[in-house]
Amino acid sequence: MRLRTGIRLLAVATVGLLLAGCAGLPTSGPPNAGLAVGEDGEDPAFTPIAQGPEPGAGPEDIVAGFLEASMTPANNWEIAHQFLTEDFSREWDPEVGVAIDSSVLERRFTPDVDADDESATAAAVIVELDQIASVDADGAYSAAAGAAKATYRLERESGGEWRISEAKDGVTLDIDTFSKVYEKFALKYFDSSWTHLVPDVRWYPRRAAMATTITRAVISGAPTDWLAPAVQTAFPADVSLVGEAVPIDSSQVASVSLTRSALSTSSSVLARMRTQLEESLAGAGVSEVRFVVDGAPLAADTVSVEESIVDPGVLVFDGTTFGTAASGEIAPVGALTEQISEFARPIRSIDVSLDAQFAAVQLQDGHVWAVSDGTRNEVDGRPGLIVPSLDPFGFIWSAPASSPAQVRAWDARRIVEHEVADAWPDADTISHLRVSADGARIAAVVASGGVHRLVVAAIIRNDDGVPIGLGEQFPQEVPLPHGTAQGLAWVGADSVAVLSDPPDPVLTTFTVGGPWSTSPAPVDAVSLAGARTTTGVRVLADDGVVYAQRGSSWQNAVDDVVVLGTRAGY
């Protein structure tokens, strides 16, 4: 068994040539139009380029080279096909999925034939690797930690060269190369109320015609299994894409040809269809979608789905006044400021709706209150409650730390309690929960057998929008290696951040449907507030300082803060 290094010389050389070419870039004159998104053409130049098989290479080198060729998806992995026999090349399907391992350097190869054995006509090479994740044929990412093993069978062809005659479908990439070869896109689906769009993260190989891939996935595909109970598509089952490509003009407008059944679709459904597809294609650079049937335009409006934040800024409570921190002052947040200041007992947390009309307030005694203009009502007084979360439909979510299954959703307007079925039945304790801004997903930090982990699940609502249960958990349960969590927050629409326990605080950001990353957090950090972007994330330290992340460092943003407020959904 041998460990091998990568064969990436050509990729490095290509990068060097590209960098050298930068010296000749024009600095004046009119801009020239580039290749439109979705237009046929060569794959992006920044995709790594692998080498084809070396003449006289032995079985081990052929298999290693084949795995390395996974990093070049151009022309349906044309280079990888060069390592296969002619017959097997017609059978092998690279689009089946991706096995992601920790490092090229950790791959272990065990051939059953010596490279210099001239008499051998057949060979097998066993490859062992440390797999950490996978991507399926639909582009869905999931963690898959553990040792993996695969056998590659080879034949010596008439010209004396070894070629692979049997192997598993799909490609193999190390985690560092994965993000260079595959790109993250968020397919959008409507929530059950048709008022929010929910991202469903997928990973596709980098190609020029990404708009076609995404359009086909949205119109004819389906949401991932775990998310499906909470979302719906605007596209009727009898409407499909016509043609092999989605052309994009110089203004980045996509012309999407649909079957004739779209002509009988109502204007409201067409508006939802356009909105869903337009938002899904935004990540591919598309600015607008226009539907076409039999070459004629099909008019479609759009619907509003993005809820604006009233009084944007950092929400803080200094022990006396609650509001938005600005220029050393605290500006009031509508009628909430007065209502919150009237609490006689110390406050632990404040979660404010995006329209600043409601707030879920938890006092230091653990009791949870619903606060709005002119009213303050206690909604949950059970012992041992964790910090509550307010969702976009006016429900306050709360749960006792020792009983995760006893999560409740309280109607903040009517003060009505609703049980939520199937809430983390295997968890012993829960320390944090946060409902997403679309109200379709909930993230939580739970523990079983002393192991803390991050879990995400779909929220199932009835026809009136009332939460009635949780769907199956997202398949990627993430163990938290840095001790007990101090905070949990949504960052944007598809990521969740967890603040670790002092004395070595770490902020770990997880993509729901992708890898995660870690960065140091401020010393003595005690709470976390999420935001629509990473630059909006705030961390409160136990000395009352609120920090904002700027690049790789944290800077003092606000002083003398007792409670760092949060916005519903973040």
Side-chain angles (χ1 to χ4, degrees), residues 5 11 74 111-112 135 163-164 178 187 192 204 209 250 275 293 307 312 336 353 380 392 397 404 444 453 466 478 547:
T5 60
D112 67 350
V135 173
R163 292 296 181 263
I164 297 170
F178 173 71
L187 306 187
S192 58
Y204 299 121
S250 58
T275 301
V293 175
E307 187 174 1
L336 295 179
S353 64
D380 198 350
W397 294 65
R453 65 189 194 278
V466 176
V478 183
Y547 290 91

Side-chain angles (χ1 to χ4, degrees), residues 19 21 90 145 216 255 289 301 316 322 361 409 513 522 544 549 559 562:
L19 291 176
R90 289 191 290 265
R216 187 174 290 114
S255 295
V289 166
D301 292 328
V316 298
F322 170 75
V361 177
Q549 192 166 22
D559 295 314
V562 175

Side-chain angles (χ1 to χ4, degrees), residues 229-493:
V231 298
Q232 55 189 334
T233 182
F235 285 86
D238 61 350
V239 174
S240 58
L241 180 67
V242 175
E244 295 298 321
V246 175
I248 312 295
D249 67 18
S250 58
S251 298
Q252 301 304 301
V253 176
S255 295
V256 179
S257 296
L258 302 176
T259 50
R260 291 181 179 179
S261 53
L263 294 173
S264 59
T265 304
S266 68
S267 59
S268 60
V269 172
L270 282 171
R272 290 171 180 166
M273 289 165 54
R274 177 185 166 189
T275 301
Q276 180 181 350
L277 185 55
E278 207 163 80
E279 292 295 324
S280 298
L281 287 171
V286 172
S287 61
E288 183 181 344
V289 166
R290 294 176 184 169
F291 292 139
V292 177
V293 175
D294 290 338
L298 177 61
D301 292 328
T302 58
V303 296
S304 178
V305 291
E306 184 74 10
E307 187 174 1
S308 61
I309 297 178
V310 176
D311 292 329
V314 183
L315 296 172
V316 298
F317 179 64
D318 65 0
T320 303
T321 304
F322 170 75
T324 304
S327 303
E329 303 292 333
I330 298 179
V333 178
L336 295 179
T337 293
E338 181 178 354
Q339 288 293 324
I340 291 174
S341 66
E342 292 182 0
F343 279 105
R345 286 170 289 174
I347 294 173
R348 180 184 180 188
S349 70
I350 304 169
D351 197 21
V352 179
S353 64
L354 297 187
D355 62 7
Q357 298 299 307
F358 288 92
V361 177
Q362 185 179 40
L363 305 182
Q364 286 292 355
D365 62 11
H367 291 210
V368 176
W369 292 68
V371 178
S372 61
D373 185 5
T375 63
R376 289 186 298 140
N377 295 293
E378 182 176 335
V379 297
D380 198 350
R382 292 177 293 171
L385 293 173
I386 64 174
V387 171
S389 177
L390 179 63
D391 77 15
F393 301 102
F395 292 93
I396 299 174
W397 294 65
S398 60
S402 60
S403 302
Q406 297 302 311
V407 64
R408 297 289 184 268
W410 301 81
D411 188 326
R413 297 172 178 83
R414 301 177 181 86
I415 317 304
V416 177
E417 175 185 7
H418 299 279
E419 293 187 7
V420 180
D422 303 318
W424 311 292
D426 299 327
D428 300 326
T429 62
I430 181 171
S431 63
H432 297 80
L433 64 81
R434 291 295 290 173
V435 179
S436 61
D438 48 54
R441 300 159 295 161
I442 185 169
V445 176
V446 299
S448 300
V451 178
H452 296 267
R453 65 189 194 278
L454 171 68
V455 293
V456 179
I459 297 174
I460 302 173
R461 299 177 186 265
N462 64 18
D463 293 340
D464 296 322
V466 176
I468 58 175
L470 300 186
E472 63 179 273
Q473 292 177 177
F474 175 68
Q476 182 178 345
E477 288 191 3
V478 183
L480 301 177
H482 300 287
T484 304
Q486 289 290 98
L488 173 68
W490 286 88
V491 182

Side-chain angles (χ1 to χ4, degrees), residues 17-59:
L17 290 172
L18 290 172
L19 291 176
C22 290
L25 290 176
T27 58
S28 62
N32 295 314
L35 185 68
V37 178
E39 191 175 307
D40 290 335
E42 296 181 359
D43 287 9
F46 50 79
T47 302
I49 301 175
Q51 289 180 313
E54 291 286 341

